[in-house]
Structures are given as structure tokens and as C-alpha cells.
Amino acid sequence: MNLGGSLNNSSGGGLGGATIVADIPFSNNMAAAGAMAQNIYNSPGLSLALQQPSIGNQGDGVRMGENFEASIGRRSREEEQESRSGSDNIDGVSGDDQDAANNRPRKKRYHRHTPQQIQELEALFKECPHPDEKQRLELSKRLCLETRQVKFWFQNRRTQMKTQLERHENSLLRQENDKLRAENMSIREAMRNPICTNCGGPAIIGDLSLEEEHLRIENARLKDELDRVCALASKFLGRPLSSLATSIAPPLPNSNLELGVGSNGFGGLSTTLPLGPDFGGGVSNSLPVVPPNGVERSMFLELALAAMDELVKMSQTDEPLWIRSLEVGREILNHDEYSRMFTPCIGIKPAGFLTEASRQTGVVIINSLALVETLMDSNRWAEMFPCMIARTSTTDVISSGMGGTRNGAIQLMHAELQLLSPLVPVREVNFLRFCKQHAEGVWAVVDVSIDTLRETSGAPTTYVKCRRLPSGCVVQDMPNGYSKVTWVEHVEYDESQIHHLYRPLLSSGIGFGAQRWVAALRRQCECLAILMSSTVPTGDHTAITASGRRSMLKLAQRMTGNFCAGVCASTVHKWNKLNVGNVDEDVRVMTRKSVDNPGEPPGIVLSAATSVWLPVSPQRLFDFLRDERLRSEWDILSNGGPMQEIAHIAKGQDHGNCVSLLRSSAMNANQSSMLILQETCMDAGGSLVVYAPVDIPAMQVVMSGGDSAYVALLPSGFAIIPDGPGSPGPTTSNGNGDSHRVGGSLLTVAFQILVNSLPTAKLTVESVETVNNLISCTVQKIKAALQCES
């Protein structure tokens, strides 16, 4: 049947002078289509391609003589796809532009290449899939085609080949992933229910060393097989297939970690634990490879994942997990809801332990990366929270992170946390710290105690007075270098050794709570921002050089650190506690020898500290103690002489956060003037006034930028914190009969004095009584000055 007449009749003369290239018998067209399909699927370049459905139906030829458009509409969808991609070109694309002046709309017509044209095109495609313009021009002349037709044919042919390759490689990768997933499931099942090969009974982990080795080798072989397939596919497609492999199946846990996971007493948790709600980023949940170093490290990994999941949920969930209390003005943890939401990841609470929990959100002037680096470095962490961390160290590094970042870093740490009072023991905690990036600019750092794991693994342990449940912070970047920090503190502790004066403060979550951590972080970041600024704050002593400012601040930092160590009796120094009958019950007296320490005078150092409650607001008490003009009202050592501030270095926007150098004028000829270095700071968690007499020539060297490490000093001072609910404050009532408690302050007074310049000398009772009297007189003078003697 000839289609020429049909085309002429259907056109109705509307095509004008358009050339119709369709005067080819239908049987020839069908033969061309068959040849085209045969060439496509027998091509050596597509040996991996999947077989496609055959094209055409010869029986349709007898029904296509009346109208060409009707025959196009009845073609099958698969035939049309093959025709367009391999052998057909839309007439509007291939270049029939002779009727460009005629604007009447007309339907697009298709041009089918002849078998000879297809054969020539396929032959060149095998040799050169990307012909240049010269080759396309030569081929178009030889085949009587337009250059655009040749160009579009090659584009369609490459797209068709790429699609078939991807389809085939997807199938291969899917099969490989299915095999690896099945292998992984069998390994997990074997580890959950290990069977001894000798007796057939349950086996302990230690009996599986040989089987573990075989499983590890098999796992490595399967991973190499997958890598080989991915490399082969990457070679064909010209791009890496890591994203394609992970899109076919979810990422598998690390093969090195699979051998140590399973049921271990943590609620059946596994390495595929979700790490909390999605923050909207595209960061992987997988962890870096941890060398298989025994069962304990695998348990640490599971504990880190569970703790991170709990921290993120506690930082994001509001009611009913956290209930805001109007009475105390902060959030309180709903323990019933907590028990319903979470499985205890470190076991049940020991008998007699109390629970404290708190959450606080604040904005600090530091970016998330800098804060994460600070938290993961033990020395920088202690410097960021000098009044809260007495001592800390990193005992082991399970993982250092991925890609040169802290994402996925896991390390074991030891820390001594302190509240500045001799009536509150130092909290020693051994914990795991895990850092994870949840999204771009969103990080989380979680701590959780590991004492329960040490007991399970048989490691030596001591009596634990404090357990750190999943606690830490979630940090999110904000504009202009700020970060939003959500801090969660959750601790179980034994209060039997805590003085009754501080028990309400600790049980309410104020003493070691999240509010104190966030307040200290905000104050310290503000201080660092001011110190790094090139401008000198208003009120600073402009005569001090930049190097002199740094030296004075470094000296003040050492002074405050030694003061805190003397108050809390941490292991920074070796203190010996004294039990003397004439010392007040709430006064703790300790002694130590100072030898070969250039920053302290040599000899016997005596430290005495006590804490009292005063019915005075923390702000009023702080302003009174830091004011050099009122110093003579409480400082016995000043001999009643006036004080003058001769140097001032700001450490924050609040005028009370500063380092000062005070000069005491001599009252008579027998007295000599002296210098006093003083540091004061205040935030929502409390305030501090620390001072120490210093030598005038030594301070002149420091203010000139000299080394401050050789300036000998012994610090004394005060620590002030707000009292908590239940503290022994009086109550007042209004005319309606309603009563409320009067807020007060918990004041800690501490002195360090050199009682003998010979380290080998023996301490006398008179020296102890002198220091005890010094504390008692100072407290009485403060009460009298503030009119709170009762």
C-alpha cells in the first residue's frame, strides 16, 4: 500500500509547498523499524542492556491506508518511545522551514530514517558516541539528512543507552544490597543467640573469636564486591555511584561494628538507633569506623546513640515532658512522662539517690563549630567553665570524628564538677561524650555516665556518688556569629554528704543545673569577644598595653582557679583536712605544702572556708563586696585604710565583670602601701569576688607585658549564689494573709594564708585558730554592714 495518496488527501492542500518525504511502502517502513530494533539491541556497546519489548505489529498495515494521523494515534506507547529516541525526528526540529511565512497552525510530522541511514548512524555511534561538528556535517551530506537531525539522533541515542545502563546497574546494585542485608541480618541473629559449636549450648562472647574472624573476612569480601560493581558502573556512567547505592537501599551499619552489637542490657538497642528528630539537613546518621577493640567499645557505641537520641528529644519536647512552674519560674521535668518515653540507658536509679533535671535555652556570642571544638577539648572546656569544672581529662578516644570534623567523635572523659562551697562535695563523673552534626550549623554534644558499663565489663570501679544521665547541649547557628544553645542537665546523686543548707538548691536543679551552665557560657563568651576586640572598652585603663592586659588577665585566671580549688578541695592540689576542736563545725580547714611552685610563696599554706545564709539579695551582696570604697568595712587586712582602683580591665558589658588593681594607702609611717589584684564576675548562676595581695615590682612587670607565671600569690574571696526554694529564709505576709519567702544568698568565704615560709615546718594550733577567727570576724563584719545580724 502506498501512503503518498493518503498523505496528500489528508493534508487538504493546507501544507502548501511543503515537501512530503513519505512515499515509501508501509512494508518497507515496518522492515526499517525491525532493522532499527535489531541494531539497537544487538549493539556490542549495550551488552549489559536489558531486553526491551519488540516493536511493531504487521497486522496494523492494512488499517493505515486511509489517514496517517490515525495511524500515528494508534501506535503503541513503547513503539513511539523507541521511534522518537532512536530513529524518528519531529519535523519541526529536523528543519522543514520552507513555509516559515505561513503562520497557520499545523500538526507536527515525523520523519522515519531508512534502514541504511540507521545502519550508518549506528556504525559511527559505536566508534564515536560524541561526533564533532565536522563529522556530523559529513554524515548529514552522505545520508541526505540535516545537521540538526544527525545531532538530535546522537543525543537521543546516548540518552537511550544511558537509561538502559542505569537500569541494569540499578538491578545489579539492588541484588548486591539484598545479599549484604541478608548477610547482615544473619550476623545480627547469630550474635544475639550465640551457640557453642562444641556443646550446642549458649555461648558467651569470648567463645566466638574464631567465628568473628570468619564473619569479618566474609563481610570484607562482600564490601569489596560491592565496591567493584560500583566502580564498574561509575566507569560506564562517568560519575560516582555512592549516592545511587545509598538510594537503592538504606545504609548498612559499619561491618566492623556489627560483630559487637546485640542485646547488652540497654533495652535491646542497636547501632541502627534513630538519632532523634530530623533537623532538616542531609547529614548521614552513620558513625565512623571504630576499631573492634572488645565488647566494651561496642557497648560504648550503643550507649552513645541511645544518649544522643534521648538528649535531642528532651531538648525539643515541651509539655507534658517539661512543665513550666510559675512558682519557681522555670521548667520542671515530668518524671512519669519521662519514664514512659525513655528506657533507662544506664540502668535503674540506685537506692537512696535523688534526681535533678533542668533545661535552659540562651543565645551566646560564639558559632557552633567553635563551641563544639571547645566542648570536645578537655582543656578548653575547663577554661570555658572555670568556676564549675575543677579538673577534667580525656581518658580514651573511641572515634575522632569524620572528614576532619568532630561529627561522630566519641571519647571517654573524667571530670570533677564543683559548687563553690565547702559544704558541697565535688562531683566526680566518668562519662562518655558524643558529638554529632544533625544538619548544617546544627550540632549536639551529649554526656552519659559509663560506670554501669564498667561494672558490666568487669573493670575496676569505685563507689559512685553521682551518675550523669544523658545531658548536654544542642547548638544551632544564628546570624552575626551567635548561636542558640539548648542545655539539658539530668543527674542522679547521693545527697547524704551534702549539707542541709544546700540540699534544696541542688534538688531544684539550680546548683548544677542548665541555667548555671548557660549563664557561665554566655558570660565567658562575652569576655572572649571583648578581649579579641581591637577597641578598648570604656572605663579601661588606657595606659596598659595590649600585652599587659593579656598578662594581667592570665594572672587573674590563675588566681581564680586556685581560689576555687581551695574552696572545694579538688585534686588540683593535695590538701590535707584538719580536725581541730576549736574550729567551728561548718568551717573546713585544710593545709598543704607549697614547694617549687613559682606562682606561690614557698611554705605551709592554710586554707579555711565556710558558707552561711544571709537574708540579702545576691546583687546587693555582690555590689557591697566588690566596691573598693566600702572595703574597709569588712577587710581586716586593709587596716581601715582607703582603697583606690589604679587599673581596670573590663571582661563583659556588666561593669561588675572585670579585673582590677587596687592600692591601699598607708595610714601611718609604720605601714607600707600594697597592691591587691581583684577579679569580679556575675551572671544568673552566681557571682564571685576573688583577690590577692601582690608585689608592686612584680605587677609593674606584668602590666608591661611580662610573664605572669612568676608572680607569687595566695587568693582569698567570696562566692555568692541565690538560695533555692526551701532555703531557711523568713516569710512575710501581706494584708490578705498570703505569705511568701524572703529571698536570700548563700555566701561562701574562703582564705588561703601562708602560715610558715618553711615547707618542713609543723603547723601549730595557734595558726589554725587565727585563720578561724579571721573567717568569723569577716562574716560578722559583713552582717553588721548589711544590717542582717539576726
Side-chain angles (χ1 to χ4, degrees), residues 680-724:
T680 60
C681 57
M682 184 176 189
D683 54 46
S687 53
L688 205 64
V689 178
V690 183
Y691 62 93
V694 290
D695 187 51
I696 295 179
M699 284 307 301
Q700 290 176 344
V701 174
V702 171
M703 294 175 67
S704 301
D707 189 3
S708 64
Y710 297 96
V711 179
L713 52 79
L714 289 174
S716 301
F718 308 93
I720 308 166
I721 58 175
D723 61 352

Side-chain angles (χ1 to χ4, degrees), residues 35-74:
M36 175 192 68
Q38 187 70 19
N39 287 334
I40 290 177
Y41 295 111
N42 291 339
S43 172
L46 292 175
S47 59
L48 296 179
L50 299 177
Q51 293 297 326
Q52 302 293 327
S54 61
I55 302 175
N57 188 347
Q58 297 288 349
D60 290 342
V62 296
R63 293 188 297 272
M64 296 183 63
E66 295 181 1
N67 191 292
F68 185 73
E69 279 86 351
S71 68
I72 293 294
R74 284 191 296 267

Side-chain angles (χ1 to χ4, degrees), residues 65-298:
E66 295 181 1
N67 191 292
F68 185 73
E69 279 86 351
S71 68
I72 293 294
R74 284 191 296 267
R75 283 195 310 177
S76 68
R77 187 175 182 179
E78 294 177 344
E79 179 182 351
E80 181 177 324
Q81 180 67 27
E82 288 290 340
S83 175
R84 290 182 180 181
S85 63
S87 301
D88 291 350
N89 279 281
I90 299 176
D91 188 56
V93 175
S94 60
D96 191 2
D97 297 327
Q98 296 181 11
D99 199 20
N102 191 348
N103 294 328
R104 287 181 297 174
R106 58 190 178 88
K107 296 184 178 179
K108 296 178 181 179
R109 294 176 294 116
Y110 294 89
H111 176 75
R112 186 182 298 276
H113 299 314
T114 65
Q116 293 77 15
Q117 290 173 333
I118 295 174
Q119 188 174 2
E120 290 282 343
L121 291 168
E122 289 285 355
L124 181 60
F125 182 81
K126 295 177 182 177
E127 298 176 0
C128 179
H130 295 271
D132 56 21
E133 186 176 357
K134 181 180 179 181
Q135 290 174 307
R136 292 198 302 269
L137 181 61
E138 180 183 350
L139 187 61
S140 65
K141 291 180 180 179
R142 189 165 70 247
L143 299 180
C144 299
L145 296 173
E146 293 186 7
T147 307
R148 287 192 302 170
Q149 290 178 298
V150 175
K151 177 181 178 181
F152 294 143
W153 187 93
F154 274 90
Q155 288 180 352
N156 295 337
R157 189 67 177 82
R158 288 193 298 268
T159 302
Q160 182 188 47
M161 180 180 179
K162 184 177 180 181
T163 302
Q164 293 169 347
L165 278 174
E166 288 184 344
R167 194 176 302 154
H168 183 65
E169 296 303 332
N170 284 355
S171 177
L172 292 178
L173 290 174
R174 188 177 292 107
Q175 295 174 8
E176 290 294 334
N177 273 285
D178 290 341
K179 288 171 59 179
L180 287 175
R181 191 184 296 107
E183 184 73 19
N184 182 259
M185 294 297 294
S186 63
I187 293 174
R188 288 173 176 272
E189 187 63 29
M191 293 304 299
R192 289 192 183 96
N193 304 295
I195 302 298
C196 179
T197 56
N198 297 327
C199 64
I204 62 175
I205 298 299
D207 295 335
L208 297 178
S209 58
L210 183 59
E211 183 180 352
E212 287 179 358
E213 187 65 22
H214 288 302
L215 292 175
R216 191 178 294 113
I217 294 174
E218 181 67 10
N219 237 342
R221 185 189 67 78
L222 292 173
K223 286 188 67 177
D224 291 340
E225 183 78 6
L226 180 60
D227 293 339
R228 184 185 63 80
V229 174
C230 290
L232 181 64
S234 300
K235 180 179 179 181
F236 278 101
L237 298 181
R239 61 181 175 86
L241 276 187
S242 58
S243 59
L244 180 61
T246 54
S247 65
I248 294 173
L252 297 174
N254 285 303
S255 59
N256 288 341
L257 301 177
E258 297 161 4
L259 305 177
V261 302
S263 179
N264 58 8
F266 298 110
L269 300 172
S270 65
T271 54
T272 56
L273 259 173
L275 296 189
D278 185 14
F279 281 82
V283 183
S284 171
N285 280 346
S286 59
L287 289 174
V289 176
V290 179
N293 222 4
V295 180
E296 191 180 50
R297 294 207 169 201
S298 299

Side-chain angles (χ1 to χ4, degrees), residues 346-354 463-464 467 492-493:
I346 58 174
I348 61 175
K349 180 172 65 175
F353 273 41
L354 298 182
Y463 175 68
V464 179
R467 301 198 323 161
E492 295 172 345
Y493 66 98

Side-chain angles (χ1 to χ4, degrees), residues 8 15 55 94 119 149 160 298 384 457 576 595 600 653:
N8 291 331
L15 298 178
I55 302 175
S94 60
Q119 188 174 2
Q149 290 178 298
Q160 182 188 47
S298 299
M384 184 65 78
S457 61
N576 297 315
V595 182
E600 290 182 344
Q653 295 181 356

